[in-house]
Amino acid sequence: MTTHPAGSPTPLTPADAVAAARPGRVRPRRLRGTAALRRSATEVRLHPADLILPLFVKEGLTEPQPIASMPGVVQHTRDSLRRAVVEAAAAGISGVNLFGVPLVRDATGSGATDPDGVLNAALADVRAEVGDALVIQADLCLDEFTDHGHCGVLTADGSVDNDATLVRYAEMALAQAEAGAHMVAPSGMMDGQVGVIRDVLDGAGRDDVAVLAYAAKFASVLYGPFRDAVESTLEGDRRTYQMDPANRREALREVALDIAEGADLVMVKPAGAFLDVLADVAAASTVPVAAYQVSGEYAMVEAAAAQGWLDRRRAITESVLGIRRAGADQVLTYWAVELAHWLREEWR
Ligand code: PBG
């Protein structure tokens, strides 16, 4: 601390102030002087194994279809999906998380439990293609399969029926396990979803299939581009089941419930705008923590980079690093494969 000498008749000159402060003893800059020093003092490092790639597959496509609000991301055909997972495995990332886009939707989301439905068929393709080389995660939710676009089935008055939805989720878990998923990822935020899915899998002798629980999933504007990606039919919003973005403490309640119900991993979503929640969850959780860098986070960086307003590579790297630093063990990101390639380049 620079202090004005007591009773001094004249103010300190800037040079005297520096001399009085004696900054030479404690210099955090010492560890930033060379690339080797900085590297040796790094607290958090990114590794391809931290990364999971979300992928979209659409029924009936003959060519991969670009998604306007997610430049660089496509809806895959079943064939291009196979190529994408081979590429993901070669890049050294940990896994993929699959979302299906069906051609036909109905009130109960029948396509979600049809073994020939787009998501289940794609899971089987991917398992046949890469076997156990990647963790194959299946999105377990009805929103892509229902004509109303909600994550569950509706009551007569149009509200989302929690317990009737759990029956559908249980059926979906069995179909996804049968199709070859290593991990099912319930993302619908119904109360009790993890416990019911765990029980039905165990009852079917599938105690090998893990549950990645979307534990703290917020009703976020940042899912906008994803809804284009899955051609969502939703009108209105998901505020009666997804969490209020204002709530930090409640995330710990959701996480505790999911762990008690048997979750193998818990997720916070979105990631970047919820790093405080992520840090809380990482501190409290007894299971590994995942974070989903969602479509809107992706779109914001891509849009700014396309304008030349941000350095794209540095923006991507820093955003994922921040999510890891906040405490995520694994990060779901649409940049997973590209980032993995950069990380490998940097080691060379
Ligand atoms: C619902 C689901 C959503 C996302 C993943 N799973 C959308 C929603 O809740 O409306 C969003 C992912 C993203 O924005 O990247 N099944």
Side-chain angles (χ1 to χ4, degrees):
M1 255 297 246
T2 304
T3 51
H4 198 290
S8 167
T10 47
L12 281 177
T13 66
D16 287 345
V18 173
R22 303 184 61 210
R25 271 172 298 174
V26 182
R27 288 192 183 267
R29 288 187 56 195
R30 248 192 303 270
L31 294 181
R32 301 176 199 144
T34 69
L37 280 165
R38 292 191 292 275
R39 184 165 172 262
S40 74
T42 288
E43 295 179 33
V44 174
R45 283 175 228 282
L46 293 177
H47 189 282
D50 303 332
L51 307 174
I52 307 283
L53 177 67
L55 288 164
F56 303 104
V57 56
K58 182 173 175 187
E59 186 174 3
L61 276 189
T62 49
E63 287 294 323
Q65 199 64 36
I67 300 160
S69 53
M70 300 181 73
V73 179
V74 299
Q75 292 176 324
H76 281 286
T77 69
R78 283 181 55 188
D79 280 341
S80 73
L81 179 71
R82 282 176 174 260
R83 293 193 290 277
V85 295
V86 168
E87 191 196 5
I93 68 170
S94 277
V96 291
N97 189 303
L98 299 195
F99 295 91
V101 185
L103 283 176
V104 179
R105 302 171 191 219
D106 61 21
T108 57
S110 307
T113 44
D114 179 350
D116 299 321
V118 61
L119 179 54
N120 295 321
L123 286 165
D125 289 345
V126 168
R127 185 67 184 264
E129 192 70 44
V130 298
D132 295 334
L134 287 172
V135 177
I136 302 168
Q137 304 178 347
D139 184 58
L140 198 166
C141 193
L142 287 173
D143 61 316
E144 287 90 27
F145 297 95
T146 53
D147 49 13
H148 46 73
H150 273 293
C151 293
V153 294
L154 305 183
T155 59
D157 71 3
S159 59
V160 175
D161 185 337
N162 193 92
D163 295 8
T165 299
L166 295 183
V167 176
R168 295 293 293 135
Y169 285 2
E171 292 165 353
M172 211 176 162
L174 291 174
Q176 294 180 339
E178 187 60 29
H182 294 101
M183 196 176 278
V184 296
S187 62
M189 290 298 282
M190 295 301 124
D191 293 335
Q193 61 186 11
V194 172
V196 165
I197 289 167
R198 184 70 273 152
D199 286 349
V200 80
L201 287 171
D202 290 352
R206 296 311 306 268
D207 55 351
D208 58 315
V209 176
V211 179
L212 164 58
Y214 283 66
K217 178 174 178 180
F218 292 87
S220 173
V221 66
L222 296 167
Y223 307 147
F226 174 95
R227 298 205 182 148
D228 293 342
V230 299
E231 301 171 25
S232 174
T233 54
L234 181 70
E235 282 174 28
D237 59 59
R238 306 198 196 284
R239 282 183 242 198
T240 69
Y241 41 106
Q242 297 180 347
M243 283 178 61
D244 180 342
N247 291 0
R248 180 170 175 172
R249 184 195 301 124
E250 188 187 0
L252 293 175
R253 184 182 195 210
E254 288 281 4
V255 164
L257 283 169
D258 283 358
I259 293 175
E261 290 175 31
D264 297 286
L265 300 94
V266 290
M267 190 197 289
V268 174
K269 176 185 177 182
F274 296 86
L275 294 180
D276 55 337
V277 173
L278 180 54
D280 286 354
V281 168
S285 180
T286 50
V287 299
V289 176
Y292 198 141
Q293 184 176 51
V294 300
S295 58
E297 297 177 74
Y298 177 90
M300 289 191 292
V301 169
E302 291 291 347
Q307 296 280 343
W309 294 342
L310 280 178
D311 178 306
R312 181 173 177 276
R313 177 163 169 169
R314 289 186 56 202
I316 291 170
T317 306
E318 187 173 316
S319 66
V320 177
L321 183 67
I323 294 165
R324 283 275 295 132
R325 191 192 60 243
D329 300 296
Q330 53 180 247
V331 183
L332 287 84
T333 173
Y334 299 98
W335 291 305
V337 166
E338 190 175 12
L339 179 54
H341 287 139
W342 292 339
L343 295 170
R344 295 178 145 206
E345 233 170 75
E346 283 161 20
W347 304 332
R348 264 189 238 119

